[in-house]
Amino acid sequence: MGFDYHKTDVNVRYYFTDGKWSDMEVTSDEYIKMHMSASCLHYGIELFEGLKAFRGVDGKVRLFRVEDNARRLRSSAERLCLPLPTVEMVVNACVEVVRRNEAYIPPYGTGASLYLRPVMFGTTAGLGVKPAKDALLIVYCSPVGAYFKQGIKPILVAIDREQDRAAPRGTGDVKVGGNYAASLLSGEKGHKMGYSNIMYLDAAEHKYIEECGACNFFGIKDGKYITPKSSSVLPSITNMSLRQLARDMGLEVEDRKIPVEELASFEECGGCGTAAVISPIGTIYDMQTEKTYSYSDKVGKISLELYTRLQDIQYGRAEDKYNWCTIVL
């Protein structure tokens, strides 16, 4: 199937009007009717989330860290001055979507899953730049295939210093559409050159690693799991999980600035996020300095163990001792 949209039976919606949220609405309509002057269309007052439901080895269906996604959605809404849905609203919407679209949850053993996309728009009609008084929150889903169809394997990444993804004290630490729009130009440039992802550096000095495409970055060396510390990096829920699993494996976890030059010292590195869990990196090419950082063409031992441990929890093959999963069915 790949990672793309496939129609399912229903989605759920909440409307914020006259200062309050509506009850949950369940609909089969895939389209949205809004005013042509809606604030989301003109001023980017829009945010989204992404999470997955997995059919486990025991036949049960698990949502992974749904409450954490709900809390992050609230952070994004607060940053955009949108009305705040409660964590309970978001969780209930996700659970309802999974239950009502059970027929689309891929079977265990396929590597596929049900991807959920909560998305929220400012819908107030107007012309001035100001917060939206009205909003629409939708949660819909789509079955998605295994990210790595032939098994997890290292990717090629390029550093592009000519474009920034997000600025300090901007919106890089929340999940809003503008961050992704800002990455398209450099992303297309990299794809034409044969690279899967673009690695972005900090916008202030262009000295430190920030994001790896739409993923958080991590590096492994000297028994340490190291990930960038920056106010313009999205707090990845996958990365939060991997940091805990790294500690369980006896690794020291460091959350700090990572100079570009440090890439040469890593034994393994990769990107991490909902879609792939881990995308191990085989080569990083700096477009401007023409320097190449090369790693193994095989998945590193620690990266593979982290990937396996997280997938084992998501598919019910291992104990969920941190209560990350919500059993829906």
Side-chain angles (χ1 to χ4, degrees):
M1 288 184 293
F3 190 78
D4 208 344
Y5 175 74
H6 298 274
K7 187 181 186 305
T8 56
D9 288 341
V10 301
N11 61 84
V12 303
R13 306 180 180 195
Y14 294 101
Y15 298 86
F16 188 88
T17 54
D18 299 323
K20 62 181 180 179
W21 286 102
S22 70
D23 293 334
M24 184 192 300
E25 174 189 293
V26 179
T27 178
S28 59
D29 190 356
E30 297 175 275
Y31 293 89
I32 301 166
K33 185 177 180 180
M34 65 174 65
H35 198 281
M36 62 185 177
S37 198
S39 51
C40 62
L41 302 176
H42 299 264
Y43 304 120
I45 305 177
E46 178 274 344
L47 60 93
F48 69 99
E49 275 296 324
L51 66 157
K52 287 181 177 180
F54 303 84
R55 192 178 295 280
V57 65
D58 53 3
K60 295 179 181 178
V61 176
R62 293 167 172 83
L63 262 173
F64 186 69
R65 301 195 75 160
V66 59
E67 291 186 358
D68 292 293
N69 281 98
R71 282 188 281 267
R72 193 171 66 179
L73 186 147
R74 280 174 53 87
S75 296
S76 299
E78 187 173 28
R79 179 65 180 80
L80 296 186
C81 299
L82 280 165
L84 301 184
T86 65
V87 169
E88 184 180 26
M89 282 173 58
V90 180
V91 171
N92 288 345
C94 291
V95 169
E96 192 71 14
V97 164
V98 173
R99 285 178 176 165
R100 287 179 177 264
N101 293 289
E102 181 183 2
Y104 298 91
I105 304 171
Y108 174 76
T110 60
S113 56
L114 187 71
Y115 180 83
L116 276 69
R117 171 58 61 87
V119 60
M120 187 171 169
F121 311 93
T123 56
T124 304
L127 290 177
V129 180
K130 55 188 175 183
K133 294 183 293 183
D134 312 283
L136 169 60
L137 170 61
I138 299 177
V139 179
Y140 67 93
C141 66
S142 174
V144 294
Y147 192 87
F148 294 104
K149 298 177 182 61
Q150 279 76 45
I152 183 172
K153 60 181 181 179
I155 61 172
L156 305 179
V157 171
I159 297 170
D160 187 359
R161 300 166 186 259
E162 293 182 348
Q163 189 174 351
D164 299 322
R165 172 190 163 273
R169 298 185 294 275
T171 59
D173 62 334
V174 289
K175 202 167 178 68
V176 300
N179 297 341
Y180 299 83
S183 73
L184 292 175
L185 186 62
S186 57
E188 284 301 292
K189 178 181 175 182
H191 291 158
K192 289 176 182 177
M193 297 174 66
Y195 294 94
S196 299
N197 282 19
I198 292 294
M199 182 174 288
Y200 296 98
L201 306 184
D202 73 288
E205 300 180 87
H206 297 105
K207 291 181 179 179
Y208 303 101
I209 297 167
E210 293 235 318
E211 293 253 86
C212 185
C215 302
N216 273 194
F217 172 84
F218 69 89
I220 305 290
K221 69 173 184 179
D222 303 328
K224 298 177 181 178
Y225 179 98
I226 306 167
T227 193
K229 183 178 179 64
S230 169
S231 62
S232 52
V233 168
L234 182 73
S236 162
I237 292 166
T238 303
N239 199 0
M240 287 166 50
S241 307
L242 293 175
R243 288 202 291 264
Q244 182 58 61
L245 295 177
R247 293 186 187 98
D248 292 349
M249 291 164 55
L251 297 173
E252 182 181 345
V253 174
E254 291 186 354
D255 186 16
R256 61 170 172 80
K257 288 186 175 183
I258 303 175
V260 179
E261 295 76 19
E262 193 172 353
L263 288 171
S265 66
F266 286 126
E267 299 156 16
E268 304 175 28
C269 60
C272 58
T274 299
V277 180
I278 287 178
S279 295
I281 296 174
T283 299
I284 301 173
Y285 172 69
D286 191 322
M287 292 186 187
Q288 281 69 50
T289 67
E290 299 186 348
K291 185 174 179 60
T292 298
Y293 303 91
S294 296
Y295 308 97
S296 175
D297 59 356
K298 297 181 180 179
V299 184
K301 180 181 178 182
I302 292 174
S303 296
L304 183 59
E305 184 171 351
L306 286 166
Y307 174 85
T308 302
R309 285 187 179 221
L310 188 52
Q311 289 268 275
D312 283 348
I313 293 170
Q314 291 171 332
Y315 283 105
R317 296 187 296 253
E319 179 189 0
D320 178 22
K321 63 182 181 181
Y322 299 110
N323 297 314
W324 287 338
C325 298
T326 299
I327 296 177
V328 178
L329 295 163

